[in-house]
């Protein structure tokens, strides 16, 4: 039998080991609501934090979010996660920051966060180009009937070349109106300039100096809509903009107009939009956002041949999502260190 030897550890070494273990347990804890967050963000967090992640590639059920956020110092979330009073109560006094990997923040009870001194971070700017790029893409897909034409290949509708088959309006020489002329609205206009647009109009609460460089003219929305061949909605979601596009505004548009929304589904009265499409009050619509999300496969909106619907992928450029993940992580780290966040929502 091999004798068992006692290992004597010097008090100084033992103290060092205990101190290292203590420091490890003192790391702030972060709850991440998705396992498929780009690694650049998660790796940054793991350098200084203990990271716990929801295991499934879907939003955690509310009861799971309430359970898993308990005692955490920070939460890394997105627009599908409702961070309400119940969640903040469950988190307890340790929670210092809620950081969302999105430019929208309507899923967070910001007033409740403010009461508790919890900072809120978001990701403006880094997704601007990706959303503007997709806005141009869905505008083209709608006007040139790309999805509709693609379906014809499989259902036998493609018989031969025909002079008027699958024709749609071109962008060249047309008037484009943008409602909500912030970062994304402006970038969309810049990208569309190369298509030979006749005129850009925009509506909003104030003049934008950038409009002169783009060649855009501001006017009230009621005066703008009857002039537009394409109407792009780039409004932020707020109580004031809920159902901003309603029956009245759709009735002001040309029967040949195309409506595009890549902002938030809630800014549109969806029943009014469906009626406008069904009754041919407008020519067509392209939507990256709708209500609810995800939309049921048998939804009335999806049965309309003059409506292009895609599943809220506006910011889904690889580079954009990497930048969003990194910015969300940096928002968390700086907040936990008591430093100014790179993108803090002013509460």
């Amino acid at each position: 039998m091999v004798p068992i030897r006692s290992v004597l550890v010097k008090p100084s070494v033992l103290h060092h080991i205990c101190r290292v273990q203590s420091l490890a347990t003192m790391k702030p804890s972060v709850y991440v609501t998705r396992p498929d967050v780009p690694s650049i963000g998660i790796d940054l967090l793991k350098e200084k934090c203990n990271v716990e992640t929801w295991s499934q590639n879907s939003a955690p059920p509310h009861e799971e979010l309430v359970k898993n956020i308990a005692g955490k110092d920070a939460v890394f979330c997105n627009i599908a996660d409702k961070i309400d009073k119940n969640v903040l109560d469950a988190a307890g006094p340790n929670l210092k920051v809620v950081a969302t990997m999105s430019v929208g923040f309507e899923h967070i009870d910001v007033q409740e966060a403010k009461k508790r001194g919890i900072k809120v971070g978001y990701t403006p700017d880094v997704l601007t180009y990706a959303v503007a790029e997709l806005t141009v893409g869905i505008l083209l897909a709608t006007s040139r009937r790309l999805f509709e034409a693609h379906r014809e290949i499989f259902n036998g509708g493609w018989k031969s070349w025909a002079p008027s088959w699958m024709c749609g309006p071109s962008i060249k020489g047309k008037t484009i109106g943008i409602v909500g002329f912030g970062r994304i609205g402006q970038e969309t206009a810049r990208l569309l300039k190369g298509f030979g647009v006749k005129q850009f109009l925009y509506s909003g609460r104030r003049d934008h100096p950038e409009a002169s460089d783009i060649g855009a003219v501001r006017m009230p929305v009621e005066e703008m809509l009857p002039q537009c061949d394409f109407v792009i909605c780039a409004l932020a979601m707020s109580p004031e903009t809920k159902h901003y596009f309603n029956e009245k505004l759709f009735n002001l548009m040309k029967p040949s107009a195309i409506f595009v929304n890549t902002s938030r589904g809630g800014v549109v009265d969806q029943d009014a939009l469906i009626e406008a499409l069904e009754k041919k009050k407008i020519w067509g619509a392209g939507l990256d956002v709708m209500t609810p999300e995800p939309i049921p496969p048998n939804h009335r909106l999806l049965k309309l041949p003059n409506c292009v619907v895609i599943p809220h992928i506006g910011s889904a450029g690889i580079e954009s999502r990497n930048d969003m993940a990194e910015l969300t992580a940096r928002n968390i780290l700086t907040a936990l260190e008591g430093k100014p966040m790179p993108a803090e929502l002013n509460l």
Side-chain angles (χ1 to χ4, degrees):
M1 180 179 291
V2 179
I4 298 174
R5 297 181 180 179
S6 299
V7 178
L8 297 177
V9 180
K10 292 182 178 180
S12 59
V13 175
L14 184 61
H15 174 75
H16 176 71
I17 293 171
C18 293
R19 185 171 181 273
V20 170
Q21 291 175 337
S22 176
L23 287 172
T25 58
M26 286 173 61
K27 278 185 176 182
S29 58
V30 180
Y31 182 59
V32 181
T33 62
R34 291 293 190 288
D36 59 341
V37 170
S39 59
I40 186 170
I42 301 303
D43 291 345
L44 271 174
L45 289 175
K46 285 182 175 178
E47 290 176 9
K48 297 184 178 180
C49 304
N50 294 317
V51 177
E52 182 182 326
T53 305
W54 172 241
S55 59
Q56 300 177 33
N57 286 323
S58 59
H62 197 254
E63 60 272 17
E64 288 294 325
L65 187 54
V66 165
K67 180 174 73 175
N68 293 325
I69 201 173
K72 300 297 187 295
D73 297 280
V75 60
F76 184 126
C77 64
N78 61 65
I79 58 171
D81 305 312
K82 191 170 182 61
I83 310 297
D84 58 14
K85 184 177 183 298
N86 291 337
V87 172
L88 297 177
D89 282 343
N94 282 355
L95 190 66
K96 300 173 184 66
V97 56
V98 173
T100 182
M101 189 175 150
S102 63
V103 67
F105 49 85
E106 60 270 16
H107 54 293
I108 302 170
D109 188 336
V110 292
Q111 293 307 314
E112 195 64 36
K114 182 178 180 180
K115 283 184 199 174
R116 302 163 188 248
I118 297 169
K119 293 186 174 184
V120 177
Y122 67 137
T123 59
D125 300 324
V126 294
L127 50 72
T128 297
Y129 184 85
V131 177
E133 185 179 63
L134 183 123
T135 303
V136 174
I138 198 169
L139 189 154
L140 284 167
T142 307
S143 66
R144 296 303 301 274
R145 303 169 71 177
L146 301 187
F147 285 29
E148 190 181 354
H150 181 71
R151 288 192 296 269
E152 293 295 294
I153 297 172
F154 301 96
N155 65 20
W158 185 20
K159 304 297 185 183
S160 67
W161 186 90
S164 59
W165 188 62
M166 284 295 137
C167 286
S170 178
I171 301 172
K172 185 178 180 180
K174 299 299 195 303
T175 296
I176 294 180
I178 301 175
V179 181
F181 205 59
R183 291 181 294 264
I184 292 171
Q186 291 170 28
E187 189 64 28
T188 302
R190 292 187 188 98
L191 292 178
L192 285 168
K193 283 191 76 172
F195 286 84
V197 173
K198 176 185 175 182
Q199 185 179 27
F200 287 106
L201 305 176
Y202 75 96
S203 70
R205 289 177 292 185
R206 62 183 180 87
D207 287 322
H208 289 271
E210 302 87 350
S212 59
D213 297 331
I214 297 168
V217 177
R218 180 180 174 233
M219 61 176 56
V221 69
E222 292 84 1
E223 294 179 24
M224 183 187 85
L225 292 178
Q227 303 182 46
C228 295
D229 300 293
F230 297 90
V231 177
I232 297 171
C233 175
L235 287 169
M237 187 69 218
S238 71
E240 293 75 26
T241 60
K242 184 176 181 181
H243 289 184
Y244 181 89
F245 277 94
N246 52 26
E247 183 181 7
K248 176 186 173 183
L249 293 192
F250 287 123
N251 286 340
L252 291 174
M253 296 183 194
K254 294 180 180 181
S256 58
I258 290 174
F259 174 73
V260 173
N261 185 17
T262 55
S263 58
R264 287 290 182 270
V267 303
V268 176
D269 180 340
Q270 200 158 271
D271 289 335
L273 173 60
I274 291 171
E275 181 183 353
L277 290 166
E278 287 180 338
K279 294 184 177 179
K280 305 296 174 62
K281 293 179 181 179
I282 61 175
W283 192 86
L287 310 174
D288 183 43
V289 290
M290 67 279 332
T291 51
E293 292 183 6
I295 195 167
N298 61 347
H299 195 279
R300 192 173 157 200
L301 197 63
L302 301 179
K303 298 175 183 178
L304 298 172
N306 54 345
C307 187
V308 170
V309 179
I310 55 177
H312 203 153
I313 57 170
S315 66
I318 294 170
E319 298 83 359
S320 175
R321 290 285 171 88
N322 284 338
D323 290 343
M324 291 167 71
E326 180 179 0
L327 180 54
T328 306
R330 293 195 184 281
N331 277 337
I332 288 172
L333 292 172
T334 51
L336 292 177
E337 293 168 359
K339 298 177 181 177
M341 298 164 68
E344 181 175 355
L345 184 64
N346 291 321
L347 307 180

